[in-house]
Amino acid sequence: MRVKEYTAHESAYIDEPCEIGRGTVIWHFCHLMSGCVVGENCRLGQNVVVAPGARLGNGVKVQNNVSVYTGVVCEDEVFLGPSCVFTNVINPRAFIERKDEFKQTLIKRGASIGANATVVCGCTIGQYALVGAGAVVTHDVPDYAVVTGIPARVIGYVCACGNKLSFQNNLAKCAVCGKDYTVYGERVIARTGVAVKPIKRVREKDR
């Protein structure tokens, strides 16, 4: 391993210039291309490619065999599952260069992309959304939404901590962390204020 402000395995290729934040760990056979930006405290698994202009925020975790192409922007604390796929051109042809037609794909803070999922370019994945394994995302995904299938469709909503939310009268409280949510129009919004801690169960012997 070679150690700077970040840590990279000796088999990784890091082209200059690029930006890599403090505390980031880069594993075997990765390739960070010139012009990419990787934030602080990121974890890049084996065989990850980050292309020119691609951006990873702080605390991003990228699992094995993921290519983050030009046009992909991941905000802080995004999770990219093993072998998930991004694109950056809608109508690719091997014999026509369309680098000036790359479309941006935005993955907002805290969102998770499941293993082998595909995100078609030009889509925005909302904050803390969860894309199921093997899904194909062809449209924007709302904040906190769970999407699965081909094409991906909303099947429910989750808390920022990743647990399922159940709404009654447009209100929900996470059963795990206690955070409150409301439905406003077609959007799920975390309510302001301090999250309520889950009630501690009293054991029989402590009664």
Side-chain angles (χ1 to χ4, degrees), residues 17-145:
C18 64
E19 296 181 30
I20 304 173
R22 179 174 307 195
T24 286
V25 177
I26 301 163
W27 285 105
H28 304 64
F29 313 121
C30 290
H31 186 187
L32 276 64
M33 303 177 74
S34 60
C36 73
V37 177
V38 178
E40 298 182 352
N41 300 313
C42 294
R43 297 291 183 271
L44 276 59
Q46 181 172 299
N47 197 35
V48 168
V49 175
V50 186
R55 302 179 66 90
L56 303 181
N58 298 327
V60 174
K61 292 186 177 180
V62 185
Q63 301 296 295
N64 295 354
N65 306 314
V66 177
S67 293
V68 184
Y69 292 123
T70 301
V72 176
V73 175
C74 296
E75 295 184 347
D76 294 348
E77 299 174 339
V78 163
F79 177 88
L80 303 180
S83 301
C84 71
V85 176
F86 294 103
T87 68
N88 55 14
V89 176
I90 290 293
N91 56 342
R93 294 295 193 199
F95 51 88
I96 301 175
E97 186 171 291
R98 290 194 163 113
K99 290 182 179 179
D100 59 343
E101 299 178 22
F102 287 170
K103 294 183 179 296
Q104 184 182 83
T105 299
L106 175 61
I107 315 299
K108 289 190 174 181
R109 182 186 183 99
S112 296
I113 311 296
N116 294 306
T118 297
V119 180
V120 175
C121 61
C123 293
T124 295
I125 309 298
Q127 63 178 347
Y128 302 107
L130 181 60
V131 177
V136 177
V137 176
T138 59
H139 296 89
D140 292 351
V141 176
D143 294 349
Y144 304 102

